[in-house]
Amino acid sequence: MNLMPTSYQTLADELTALANAAESAGHLMTMIVERLRELLPHYNWVGFYMLDEGENGAEPMLVLGPYVGAETPHKRILLHQGICGAAVSSAQTVVVDDVNADPRYLACSLETKSEIVAPVFVRDKVVGELDIDSHVPAAFTADDRQLVEHCASLVGRYLETTLPAETRRPS
Ligand code: SME
């Protein structure tokens, strides 16, 4: 059963169609952030971070990917830092109604009041996340969560299709 309101469902369906026609994962992520920012006024900063596992002893970290909104000083985030690190480390969506009351929060803009971060999974493993900031306190409802998780899953599924066939999840 899908509980999203019609407008969110229409947007989710549109993004699914975009995912089916995307030329690359980067292209898909760019279209998602632009469309969300364009249609949802309370989504003030919308961006993907992708996980760099770290090689030769380097620490794993999140690296900023396609985004729309104010420039952020947080282009690379270690997994023990921020709401972003918490979502990846716990492999769960994190919703923060009041970022200023959360000691984990790394500030991007002074105007940000609330945040949602949904992990991107490929074969049950976190490979990145979709991060959204709002200037509105407690902006993210259960419907937003469903939409944001849908967007994250579109990217995860797209990335799965780029894997060698024998390693893909059966459809
Ligand atoms: N607020 C995030 C950092 C990313 S910026 O907001 C774009 C965090 O606490 O991890």
Side-chain angles (χ1 to χ4, degrees), residues 4 12 15-16 19-20 25 28-29 32 36 48 50 93 118-125 127-130 145-161 169:
M4 278 195 275
L15 294 172
T16 303
N20 292 334
L28 174 59
M29 288 190 270
I32 289 173
L36 291 178
F48 282 92
M50 299 312 285
T93 299
V120 172
F121 295 95
V122 170
R123 284 186 284 146
D124 299 327
K125 194 174 159 301
V127 300
E129 63 189 21
L130 175 55
R145 182 186 178 122
Q146 201 174 339
L147 177 65
V148 174
E149 288 179 347
H150 173 73
C151 292
S153 79
L154 289 177
V155 174
R157 269 188 264 154
Y158 189 96
L159 289 169
E160 280 197 40
T161 65
R169 192 198 304 274

Side-chain angles (χ1 to χ4, degrees), residues 28-97:
L28 174 59
M29 288 190 270
T30 301
M31 290 192 295
I32 289 173
V33 298
E34 287 179 351
R35 208 70 186 115
L36 291 178
R37 175 76 189 92
E38 197 172 24
L39 290 183
L40 300 169
H42 58 301
Y43 287 24
N44 296 102
W45 190 98
V46 185
F48 282 92
Y49 283 91
M50 299 312 285
L51 181 61
D52 177 346
E53 295 277 9
E55 282 171 17
N56 304 322
E59 260 195 89
M61 62 175 77
L62 291 159
V63 180
L64 183 61
Y67 75 97
V68 184
E71 181 161 356
T72 174
H74 305 296
K75 300 201 166 50
R76 292 174 167 270
I77 300 176
L78 294 168
L79 302 195
H80 63 271
Q81 293 177 331
I83 312 294
C84 286
V88 165
S89 304
S90 64
Q92 288 189 2
T93 299
V94 178
V95 179
V96 178
D97 288 343

Side-chain angles (χ1 to χ4, degrees), residues 45 49 70-75 77 81-84 99-100 102-113 115 131 133:
W45 190 98
Y49 283 91
E71 181 161 356
T72 174
H74 305 296
K75 300 201 166 50
I77 300 176
Q81 293 177 331
I83 312 294
C84 286
V99 291
N100 293 309
D102 192 318
R104 299 170 298 181
Y105 175 63
L106 297 172
C108 166
S109 155
L110 290 177
E111 289 177 289
T112 298
K113 300 288 188 296
E115 179 162 4
D131 176 20
D133 292 352

